[in-house]
PDB file of all heavy atoms in Angstrom:
ATOM      1  N   PHE A 275     -24.077  12.205 -14.818  1.00  0.00           N
ATOM      2  CA  PHE A 275     -25.448  11.836 -15.149  1.00  0.00           C
ATOM      3  C   PHE A 275     -25.737  10.393 -14.731  1.00  0.00           C
ATOM      4  O   PHE A 275     -26.780  10.107 -14.128  1.00  0.00           O
ATOM      5  CB  PHE A 275     -25.686  12.010 -16.657  1.00  0.00           C
ATOM      6  CG  PHE A 275     -27.032  11.559 -17.107  1.00  0.00           C
ATOM      7  CD1 PHE A 275     -28.152  12.357 -16.895  1.00  0.00           C
ATOM      8  CD2 PHE A 275     -27.195  10.346 -17.754  1.00  0.00           C
ATOM      9  CE1 PHE A 275     -29.407  11.938 -17.307  1.00  0.00           C
ATOM     10  CE2 PHE A 275     -28.438   9.929 -18.176  1.00  0.00           C
ATOM     11  CZ  PHE A 275     -29.553  10.724 -17.949  1.00  0.00           C
ATOM     12  N   LEU A 276     -24.821   9.486 -15.024  1.00  0.00           N
ATOM     13  CA  LEU A 276     -25.032   8.071 -14.695  1.00  0.00           C
ATOM     14  C   LEU A 276     -25.034   7.825 -13.190  1.00  0.00           C
ATOM     15  O   LEU A 276     -25.906   7.118 -12.665  1.00  0.00           O
ATOM     16  CB  LEU A 276     -23.968   7.205 -15.375  1.00  0.00           C
ATOM     17  CG  LEU A 276     -24.057   7.129 -16.898  1.00  0.00           C
ATOM     18  CD1 LEU A 276     -22.861   6.377 -17.473  1.00  0.00           C
ATOM     19  CD2 LEU A 276     -25.359   6.486 -17.334  1.00  0.00           C
ATOM     20  N   ILE A 277     -24.099   8.397 -12.470  1.00  0.00           N
ATOM     21  CA  ILE A 277     -24.022   8.188 -11.018  1.00  0.00           C
ATOM     22  C   ILE A 277     -25.188   8.872 -10.319  1.00  0.00           C
ATOM     23  O   ILE A 277     -25.833   8.296  -9.441  1.00  0.00           O
ATOM     24  CB  ILE A 277     -22.666   8.679 -10.461  1.00  0.00           C
ATOM     25  CG1 ILE A 277     -21.521   7.858 -11.037  1.00  0.00           C
ATOM     26  CG2 ILE A 277     -22.659   8.640  -8.945  1.00  0.00           C
ATOM     27  CD1 ILE A 277     -21.605   6.359 -10.770  1.00  0.00           C
ATOM     28  N   GLY A 278     -25.480  10.115 -10.706  1.00  0.00           N
ATOM     29  CA  GLY A 278     -26.633  10.807 -10.127  1.00  0.00           C
ATOM     30  C   GLY A 278     -27.929  10.068 -10.433  1.00  0.00           C
ATOM     31  O   GLY A 278     -28.800   9.921  -9.570  1.00  0.00           O
ATOM     32  N   GLY A 279     -28.045   9.567 -11.650  1.00  0.00           N
ATOM     33  CA  GLY A 279     -29.224   8.794 -12.028  1.00  0.00           C
ATOM     34  C   GLY A 279     -29.323   7.488 -11.248  1.00  0.00           C
ATOM     35  O   GLY A 279     -30.420   7.063 -10.860  1.00  0.00           O
ATOM     36  N   ALA A 280     -28.178   6.857 -10.997  1.00  0.00           N
ATOM     37  CA  ALA A 280     -28.183   5.615 -10.214  1.00  0.00           C
ATOM     38  C   ALA A 280     -28.633   5.875  -8.778  1.00  0.00           C
ATOM     39  O   ALA A 280     -29.397   5.086  -8.205  1.00  0.00           O
ATOM     40  CB  ALA A 280     -26.794   4.978 -10.240  1.00  0.00           C
ATOM     41  N   ILE A 281     -28.183   6.985  -8.195  1.00  0.00           N
ATOM     42  CA  ILE A 281     -28.603   7.339  -6.835  1.00  0.00           C
ATOM     43  C   ILE A 281     -30.110   7.598  -6.809  1.00  0.00           C
ATOM     44  O   ILE A 281     -30.825   7.135  -5.917  1.00  0.00           O
ATOM     45  CB  ILE A 281     -27.812   8.549  -6.308  1.00  0.00           C
ATOM     46  CG1 ILE A 281     -26.339   8.166  -6.091  1.00  0.00           C
ATOM     47  CG2 ILE A 281     -28.417   9.076  -5.006  1.00  0.00           C
ATOM     48  CD1 ILE A 281     -25.420   9.335  -5.806  1.00  0.00           C
ATOM     49  N   CYS A 282     -30.582   8.331  -7.800  1.00  0.00           N
ATOM     50  CA  CYS A 282     -32.027   8.613  -7.873  1.00  0.00           C
ATOM     51  C   CYS A 282     -32.833   7.339  -8.123  1.00  0.00           C
ATOM     52  O   CYS A 282     -33.926   7.178  -7.574  1.00  0.00           O
ATOM     53  CB  CYS A 282     -32.305   9.641  -8.961  1.00  0.00           C
ATOM     54  SG  CYS A 282     -31.674  11.279  -8.555  1.00  0.00           S
ATOM     55  N   THR A 283     -32.297   6.441  -8.932  1.00  0.00           N
ATOM     56  CA  THR A 283     -32.967   5.162  -9.183  1.00  0.00           C
ATOM     57  C   THR A 283     -33.034   4.337  -7.906  1.00  0.00           C
ATOM     58  O   THR A 283     -34.059   3.698  -7.622  1.00  0.00           O
ATOM     59  CB  THR A 283     -32.237   4.388 -10.300  1.00  0.00           C
ATOM     60  OG1 THR A 283     -32.223   5.199 -11.479  1.00  0.00           O
ATOM     61  CG2 THR A 283     -32.905   3.066 -10.589  1.00  0.00           C
ATOM     62  N   LEU A 284     -31.959   4.343  -7.119  1.00  0.00           N
ATOM     63  CA  LEU A 284     -31.973   3.662  -5.827  1.00  0.00           C
ATOM     64  C   LEU A 284     -33.049   4.265  -4.926  1.00  0.00           C
ATOM     65  O   LEU A 284     -33.799   3.533  -4.270  1.00  0.00           O
ATOM     66  CB  LEU A 284     -30.601   3.765  -5.150  1.00  0.00           C
ATOM     67  CG  LEU A 284     -30.509   3.211  -3.734  1.00  0.00           C
ATOM     68  CD1 LEU A 284     -30.781   1.706  -3.725  1.00  0.00           C
ATOM     69  CD2 LEU A 284     -29.154   3.523  -3.130  1.00  0.00           C
ATOM     70  N   GLY A 285     -33.144   5.587  -4.917  1.00  0.00           N
ATOM     71  CA  GLY A 285     -34.180   6.246  -4.130  1.00  0.00           C
ATOM     72  C   GLY A 285     -35.570   5.841  -4.587  1.00  0.00           C
ATOM     73  O   GLY A 285     -36.458   5.579  -3.763  1.00  0.00           O
ATOM     74  N   GLN A 286     -35.781   5.759  -5.891  1.00  0.00           N
ATOM     75  CA  GLN A 286     -37.084   5.348  -6.415  1.00  0.00           C
ATOM     76  C   GLN A 286     -37.383   3.898  -6.045  1.00  0.00           C
ATOM     77  O   GLN A 286     -38.526   3.558  -5.719  1.00  0.00           O
ATOM     78  CB  GLN A 286     -37.132   5.527  -7.932  1.00  0.00           C
ATOM     79  CG  GLN A 286     -38.471   5.190  -8.548  1.00  0.00           C
ATOM     80  CD  GLN A 286     -39.592   6.080  -8.037  1.00  0.00           C
ATOM     81  OE1 GLN A 286     -39.456   7.300  -8.021  1.00  0.00           O
ATOM     82  NE2 GLN A 286     -40.686   5.493  -7.610  1.00  0.00           N
ATOM     83  N   ALA A 287     -36.362   3.044  -6.071  1.00  0.00           N
ATOM     84  CA  ALA A 287     -36.553   1.642  -5.695  1.00  0.00           C
ATOM     85  C   ALA A 287     -36.945   1.521  -4.225  1.00  0.00           C
ATOM     86  O   ALA A 287     -37.847   0.749  -3.865  1.00  0.00           O
ATOM     87  CB  ALA A 287     -35.276   0.840  -5.978  1.00  0.00           C
ATOM     88  N   ILE A 288     -36.282   2.289  -3.372  1.00  0.00           N
ATOM     89  CA  ILE A 288     -36.625   2.279  -1.942  1.00  0.00           C
ATOM     90  C   ILE A 288     -38.054   2.767  -1.746  1.00  0.00           C
ATOM     91  O   ILE A 288     -38.831   2.177  -0.991  1.00  0.00           O
ATOM     92  CB  ILE A 288     -35.617   3.129  -1.127  1.00  0.00           C
ATOM     93  CG1 ILE A 288     -34.230   2.490  -1.174  1.00  0.00           C
ATOM     94  CG2 ILE A 288     -36.095   3.311   0.308  1.00  0.00           C
ATOM     95  CD1 ILE A 288     -33.118   3.374  -0.645  1.00  0.00           C
ATOM     96  N   TYR A 289     -38.409   3.844  -2.441  1.00  0.00           N
ATOM     97  CA  TYR A 289     -39.771   4.387  -2.346  1.00  0.00           C
ATOM     98  C   TYR A 289     -40.798   3.350  -2.812  1.00  0.00           C
ATOM     99  O   TYR A 289     -41.823   3.136  -2.156  1.00  0.00           O
ATOM    100  CB  TYR A 289     -39.897   5.660  -3.184  1.00  0.00           C
ATOM    101  CG  TYR A 289     -41.296   6.210  -3.195  1.00  0.00           C
ATOM    102  CD1 TYR A 289     -41.738   7.021  -2.162  1.00  0.00           C
ATOM    103  CD2 TYR A 289     -42.186   5.900  -4.218  1.00  0.00           C
ATOM    104  CE1 TYR A 289     -43.023   7.518  -2.144  1.00  0.00           C
ATOM    105  CE2 TYR A 289     -43.470   6.377  -4.217  1.00  0.00           C
ATOM    106  CZ  TYR A 289     -43.890   7.192  -3.179  1.00  0.00           C
ATOM    107  OH  TYR A 289     -45.171   7.670  -3.158  1.00  0.00           O
ATOM    108  N   SER A 290     -40.528   2.700  -3.931  1.00  0.00           N
ATOM    109  CA  SER A 290     -41.465   1.707  -4.465  1.00  0.00           C
ATOM    110  C   SER A 290     -41.628   0.529  -3.511  1.00  0.00           C
ATOM    111  O   SER A 290     -42.742   0.023  -3.328  1.00  0.00           O
ATOM    112  CB  SER A 290     -40.993   1.212  -5.842  1.00  0.00           C
ATOM    113  OG  SER A 290     -41.004   2.272  -6.767  1.00  0.00           O
ATOM    114  N   LEU A 291     -40.527   0.094  -2.903  1.00  0.00           N
ATOM    115  CA  LEU A 291     -40.603  -0.996  -1.921  1.00  0.00           C
ATOM    116  C   LEU A 291     -41.419  -0.581  -0.708  1.00  0.00           C
ATOM    117  O   LEU A 291     -42.239  -1.364  -0.204  1.00  0.00           O
ATOM    118  CB  LEU A 291     -39.203  -1.425  -1.487  1.00  0.00           C
ATOM    119  CG  LEU A 291     -38.402  -2.254  -2.488  1.00  0.00           C
ATOM    120  CD1 LEU A 291     -36.966  -2.430  -2.003  1.00  0.00           C
ATOM    121  CD2 LEU A 291     -39.059  -3.608  -2.708  1.00  0.00           C
ATOM    122  N   ALA A 292     -41.201   0.631  -0.241  1.00  0.00           N
ATOM    123  CA  ALA A 292     -41.951   1.117   0.924  1.00  0.00           C
ATOM    124  C   ALA A 292     -43.435   1.251   0.592  1.00  0.00           C
ATOM    125  O   ALA A 292     -44.298   0.874   1.393  1.00  0.00           O
ATOM    126  CB  ALA A 292     -41.380   2.453   1.393  1.00  0.00           C
TER     127      ALA A 292
END
Side-chain angles (χ1 to χ4, degrees):
F275 176 78
L276 292 173
I277 296 302
I281 292 170
C282 291
T283 302
L284 174 63
Q286 183 62 49
I288 294 169
Y289 176 84
S290 296
L291 285 172

